[in-house]
Amino acid sequence: MRMKMTAVAGLIGLLLTGCGTGKNDDSAPRPAFSELPQKVVKPAPEPTVKLRPSPPPDAAFHETVAFGLREKVLDMVNTEGTTTARCPASLQQQKGAQAVCVSTWKGLKTEWDILVYTLPDAPKDLKWGAEPRTAILTRDGAANAVYTYLAPDLVRCNNIPEAVVVPIERELSKYTCQTVTDGRVGMPIPVRVTLSGPRFYCQVRREAHACG
């Protein structure tokens, strides 16, 4: 159902730890970071159950697209929750067709620009693409990204709301997270929301040779 991350280092940079030199060099200076105020302890897991019911084979095209958007929303928020979506009935499965669809997750709305297209090597194979105008950042989804790929003892964040509408694919300096492992506090790193969920990209700074 969901497009899982297959290359962790490529998609989330060097997530919060191990960025730059000095990760395994005990002689290198280890920067000290202050703890962020929000403790997030093993939140609700990433969605693992397929959405039900799936559209029947004879479902209208706009219903099929709406169902697909619900799956995209769960990828984006990276945690469990009820999602809905609707597309105009005028959306047809024909090349060049466009529409604006609306999805919700726990009451937060996202508008999607839909385009039906074909690829040059398969001109009869109609596909549809969706670009969100905004994204939804969730506290649990951000923490899940860190717990899943780094397995720290604890994740701390900077007062991320349970869910909030944010720009898509933009670094959010207002919202950061860090790892805590063996009592060692990692560098706070800003989050950004992609279609595949929250992501953290390590930035090497002069005063810090490692992200954790």
Side-chain angles (χ1 to χ4, degrees):
M1 176 186 73
R2 307 176 63 243
M3 295 180 62
K4 299 302 294 182
M5 186 162 57
T6 57
V8 176
L11 290 176
I12 57 177
L14 294 170
L15 231 172
L16 298 179
T17 59
C19 178
T21 62
K23 179 182 178 183
N24 297 316
D25 184 0
D26 292 336
S27 65
R30 294 178 180 270
F33 303 106
S34 299
E35 287 188 345
L36 295 177
Q38 186 179 43
K39 181 170 67 173
V40 189
V41 182
K42 299 264 182 163
E46 299 175 25
T48 56
V49 179
K50 289 187 177 181
L51 290 173
R52 302 290 185 185
S54 57
D58 59 347
F61 181 64
H62 72 277
E63 294 175 342
T64 300
V65 174
F67 182 84
L69 290 180
R70 292 173 61 202
E71 294 183 323
K72 290 180 181 294
V73 170
L74 291 182
D75 282 339
M76 179 190 296
V77 299
N78 199 39
T79 189
E80 296 178 337
T82 301
T83 177
T84 67
R86 57 181 174 82
C87 293
S90 58
L91 178 60
Q92 299 296 313
Q93 191 175 13
Q94 58 187 33
K95 184 178 179 179
Q98 300 181 51
V100 176
C101 299
V102 178
S103 66
T104 68
W105 186 85
K106 291 192 173 182
L108 296 180
K109 293 183 179 180
T110 301
E111 291 186 334
W112 300 77
D113 292 308
I114 308 299
L115 173 65
V116 182
Y117 64 96
T118 60
L119 298 175
D121 57 347
K124 294 183 179 181
D125 185 12
L126 291 171
K127 300 179 180 297
W128 62 272
E131 291 291 335
R133 297 181 177 180
T134 56
I136 297 175
L137 169 65
T138 66
R139 177 195 59 221
D140 288 353
N144 274 332
V146 184
Y147 276 113
T148 298
Y149 298 109
L150 287 181
D153 297 334
L154 179 67
V155 174
R156 302 191 74 97
C157 298
N158 188 29
N159 296 324
I160 298 178
E162 178 182 359
V164 61
V165 175
V166 297
I168 185 76
E169 290 281 6
R170 187 178 301 175
E171 184 177 279
L172 306 172
S173 58
K174 181 179 179 180
Y175 301 122
T176 61
C177 290
Q178 66 186 175
T179 60
V180 181
T181 302
D182 295 330
R184 184 183 175 199
V185 180
M187 175 189 288
I189 304 297
V191 66
R192 69 177 66 196
V193 182
T194 74
L195 283 173
S196 299
R199 295 291 180 262
F200 297 84
Y201 297 87
C202 175
Q203 296 179 345
V204 179
R205 304 175 184 177
R206 290 183 180 179
E207 71 274 16
H209 298 286
C211 292

